[in-house]
Amino acid sequence: MMDEEILRLLREHPSVFLSGEEISRRFKVTRTAVWKRVKHLRTLGYEIEASTRSGYRLIRSPDVLTPSEIKPLLTTKWMGRTIHYFHTIDSTNSKAYQLALQGAEEGEVVIAESQMKGRGRLGRHWFSPPFLNLYLSVILRPNIPPYRASLITLMAAVATADAIQKYSGLLPMIKWPNDILLGGRKVAGLLNEIHSEMDRIHFVILGIGVNLNMDGKMFSKEIRDVATSLKRERGQTISRKAFLQSLLEELERWYAIFLQEGSATVLEAWRERAKIKGKRVKVTSFGETLSGVAVDVDSDGALILETKDGRQKRIVAGDVVYT
Ligand code: BT5
């Protein structure tokens, strides 16, 4: 707590030294205690100049996603205004789910620097090494029936793709239902979990993982050829803080569009990014694999597939491979 307060104070006075005496007076602690906190902050990557005569000055902050680093950058009205931050966690989705059950509000966000049990769909694993990427879960409480919850995934895919494009200038594609690709490789994945009654959603946990600064060799062997990161594609280290800021803005914007205008605008943007019409695909859904041509997604976000015999199938969940 005191670390955050000291940082806030130092940030408020970027170009001058703050004397140890003044800081110790403010927090009613000894000057030695202040010096200990400064030493600790240095171990976290904060570059703090210290002079016995003049005091302390913040030179540079590390690219960590703590609330005190993120909040000053935020331009959102409500998205991410409360951040639950963890150095390491099992899964941000699991934590957000618990918090939502305890009454956490719409827009509260769980962020972790690494996940021990990062989750994909159907119990799959999401590779989540520390301090390189983005792992976040947003609590949403939309007033929509459960059968429309897939649209939240589509909405979030559009928002994530927009954030990637705005931030990097690269052109991401969306692959139904929850992949964001760069150059045909997965750069981000979405995991949407709902808690609901038959006809009412209590909350949605929107989990987003974006690979930002992983180098090719850092990916595990299984995903090296199918996954990528923004750094790998752009050849430059990405500021995780700045990217997070841009992602939260896009999520707030697209969620508002979805709630105010319904699904049409979201689906239009989604179609533009997915270019799915007419693609030959193989879809695995509930243990069954179907081949055919993708016709479209319908107004609830389900995939419409035309099989060889000319019949159309409506698929609500599954994995798609382009063939
Ligand atoms: C997903 O599942 O793509 C959803 C991923 C959601 C991750 C976020 S991180 C924050 C939040 N908290 C969580 O616990 N999860 C969410 P799916 O479509 O099932 O894809 C999983 C597959 O993607 C794996 O089986 C791997 O093949 C591949 N994969 C695993 N880690 C990856 C990574 N870091 N980058 C790209 N591909 C990965």
Side-chain angles (χ1 to χ4, degrees):
M1 197 54 203
M2 193 163 122
D3 289 353
E4 299 274 303
E5 293 297 315
I6 291 176
L7 283 171
R8 197 167 48 77
L9 212 56
L10 291 174
R11 271 196 211 100
E12 280 168 9
H13 305 87
S15 49
V16 293
F17 279 94
L18 265 182
S19 74
E21 198 180 321
E22 183 173 345
I23 302 176
S24 65
R25 220 182 316 116
R26 288 241 195 165
F27 299 118
K28 299 190 175 61
V29 294
T30 62
R31 290 178 63 171
T32 319
V34 173
W35 171 232
K36 272 195 186 147
R37 292 333 299 165
V38 167
K39 277 203 291 197
H40 178 245
L41 286 168
R42 281 178 171 171
T43 66
L44 300 178
Y46 287 92
E47 226 176 280
I48 298 170
E49 194 179 341
S51 134
T52 25
R53 281 195 25 226
S54 326
Y56 302 106
R57 190 161 70 113
L58 180 62
I59 309 281
R60 202 168 328 143
S61 301
D63 196 16
V64 291
L65 305 175
T66 51
S68 73
E69 288 297 323
I70 300 305
K71 282 200 175 160
L73 303 175
L74 280 186
T75 51
T76 53
K77 286 197 200 69
W78 55 272
M79 179 73 75
R81 287 282 157 188
T82 301
I83 296 174
H84 304 268
Y85 171 81
F86 299 88
H87 190 271
T88 307
I89 202 165
D90 52 353
S91 150
T92 56
N93 260 41
S94 307
K95 185 68 194 177
Y97 202 96
Q98 276 169 16
L99 290 168
L101 284 175
Q102 291 159 12
E105 286 177 21
E106 180 156 83
E108 292 192 25
V109 168
V110 177
I111 295 175
E113 301 288 5
S114 72
Q115 300 183 112
M116 305 303 282
K117 291 184 186 157
R119 292 193 279 117
R121 291 172 304 148
L122 305 169
R124 288 187 286 230
H125 175 67
W126 187 256
F127 183 56
S128 314
F131 293 107
L132 292 166
N133 302 320
L134 206 60
Y135 317 111
L136 86 157
S137 300
V138 182
I139 296 167
L140 297 175
R141 296 185 180 274
N143 188 10
I144 56 169
Y147 72 87
R148 304 200 80 212
S150 305
L151 289 168
I152 300 280
T153 310
L154 269 58
M155 178 282 294
V158 169
T160 307
D162 272 13
I164 291 176
Q165 184 161 359
K166 280 189 184 159
Y167 187 80
S168 68
L170 300 166
L171 190 69
M173 295 281 291
I174 298 174
K175 188 166 103 176
W176 189 89
N178 69 324
D179 291 356
I180 315 289
L181 311 178
L182 277 176
R185 291 172 170 161
K186 186 157 169 172
V187 70
L190 307 167
L191 178 65
N192 186 355
E193 296 180 297
I194 68 170
H195 184 264
S196 73
E197 296 165 29
M198 284 297 283
D199 50 10
R200 190 169 72 95
I201 287 182
H202 296 287
F203 58 79
V204 175
I205 304 301
L206 178 58
I208 309 180
V210 189
N211 299 330
L212 294 179
N213 286 326
M214 270 198 293
D215 286 326
K217 57 182 182 315
M218 292 173 183
F219 287 90
S220 61
K221 246 203 342 267
E222 302 83 68
I223 59 169
R224 194 162 297 160
D225 298 332
V226 291
T228 192
S229 70
L230 271 181
K231 181 181 177 192
R232 201 175 181 187
E233 298 300 317
R234 213 177 79 161
Q236 256 176 336
T237 301
I238 305 300
S239 158
R240 295 154 73 230
K241 282 189 265 196
F243 182 80
L244 174 62
Q245 173 203 359
S246 146
L247 179 59
L248 291 172
E249 272 168 28
E250 291 302 321
L251 282 171
E252 181 173 280
R253 187 168 77 82
W254 277 105
Y255 186 56
I257 292 173
F258 171 64
L259 293 183
Q260 282 154 23
E261 300 174 22
S263 55
T265 313
V266 170
L267 285 169
E268 196 183 304
W270 191 92
R271 288 189 180 104
E272 180 60 33
R273 292 244 183 238
K275 301 215 170 21
I276 199 168
K277 272 183 202 171
K279 278 212 169 105
R280 299 204 65 81
V281 294
K282 201 186 259 185
V283 189
T284 308
S285 175
F286 300 105
E288 192 189 4
T289 301
L290 293 168
S291 293
V293 175
V295 178
D296 203 353
V297 285
D298 70 11
S299 59
D300 295 327
L303 177 68
I304 310 298
L305 182 75
E306 188 171 300
T307 50
K308 267 197 208 105
D309 54 11
R311 276 196 295 184
Q312 291 202 348
K313 293 253 185 186
R314 182 174 185 275
I315 297 163
V316 291
D319 285 300
V320 165
V321 178
Y322 297 140
T323 53

